[in-house]
Amino acid sequence: MTLQILLTNDDGIDAPGIAVLRRALDGLGEVTTIAPDRNTSAVARGITVRRALKLERRAVGDGYAGLACDGMPSDCVRIALLGVRCPAPGLVVSGINAGGNMGADATYSGTVGAAFEAALRGHPALAFSVEEVEPGWLDEAVPILRAMVGHVVERGLPRHSILNINLPDRPLAEITGIRPARLGGASAYDYVTLADDESG
């Protein structure tokens, strides 16, 4: 039986990262792409309530079929897992997020939130992120991405778990392997910016 894969993200269906990840999934299963119709970064596991969601057919990257959703990343996952407009997926892949998702900051991420939505419902999930890249870097990363997802397809994941994968922002020739790590507790963005308040 063909593996059903859901591809989503939080940067939106037109983001370059999701296009690259869609190419990397070729040959690993039957891929359905449902992603937000706009950038929804830092929404964590937020969902849409009190209104109906809308889906619109859109192309992803080099002409792959996709569905743009006017909701959140977790909405996209819920739509797929309930079998609405597509077969229920056996694997959820989220990303590639523009910006790292490390430490406590991972809990803010809509990309990671989408993976959590799947995992909490008993489906294996991966979230991919990269801090910053030179133009063309992501295209070169396709074989690495395919190998990582393929490994999970072959070996599986423990129930209710995700892999949060951060790609290093360095030339691929300098990447010598993959190392598992525990999620750290510090935040890289531990500050807020307040607008000037003229009200006194």
Side-chain angles (χ1 to χ4, degrees):
M1 181 178 289
T2 303
L3 174 66
Q4 300 292 330
I5 302 173
L6 172 69
L7 173 62
T8 192
N9 72 351
D10 75 356
D11 292 325
I13 198 164
D14 297 320
I18 198 171
V20 170
L21 195 47
R22 176 62 187 86
R23 288 210 320 272
L25 296 176
D26 267 355
L28 296 177
E30 183 176 334
V31 181
T32 298
T33 303
I34 306 177
D37 60 3
R38 69 212 178 284
N39 190 312
T40 57
S41 293
V43 297
R45 283 186 61 231
I47 59 172
T48 301
V49 296
R50 300 188 183 92
R51 70 171 177 84
L53 293 166
K54 296 179 182 177
L55 294 176
E56 175 188 358
R57 294 188 185 280
R58 291 267 282 276
V60 180
D62 300 327
Y64 294 104
L67 291 170
C69 174
D70 68 344
M72 304 296 172
S74 287
D75 290 323
C76 298
V77 174
R78 288 158 56 92
I79 288 167
L81 294 182
L82 291 170
V84 180
R85 302 283 181 91
C86 66
L91 175 67
V92 173
V93 180
S94 186
I96 302 170
N97 188 71
N101 279 310
M102 297 170 280
D105 295 331
T107 63
Y108 299 128
S109 167
T111 294
V112 177
F116 270 122
E117 186 68 35
L120 291 172
R121 293 170 177 266
H123 296 261
L126 299 91
F128 287 93
S129 304
V130 62
E131 183 60 34
E132 58 182 272
V133 294
E134 296 295 325
W137 187 95
L138 284 177
D139 294 322
E140 297 176 19
V142 166
I144 292 175
L145 298 167
R146 182 179 288 123
M148 288 181 175
V149 178
H151 181 81
V152 171
V153 170
E154 290 177 11
R155 304 221 176 161
L157 285 175
R159 190 170 170 81
H160 303 301
S161 65
I162 72 168
L163 287 182
N164 177 40
I165 301 161
N166 283 275
L167 304 168
D169 54 341
R170 63 182 60 186
L172 289 180
E174 295 180 12
I175 298 176
T176 58
I178 300 168
R179 185 173 66 184
R182 292 186 180 278
L183 196 63
S187 173
Y189 306 101
D190 198 12
Y191 62 88
V192 294
T193 301
L194 298 178
D196 290 335
D197 185 358
E198 301 293 338
S199 65

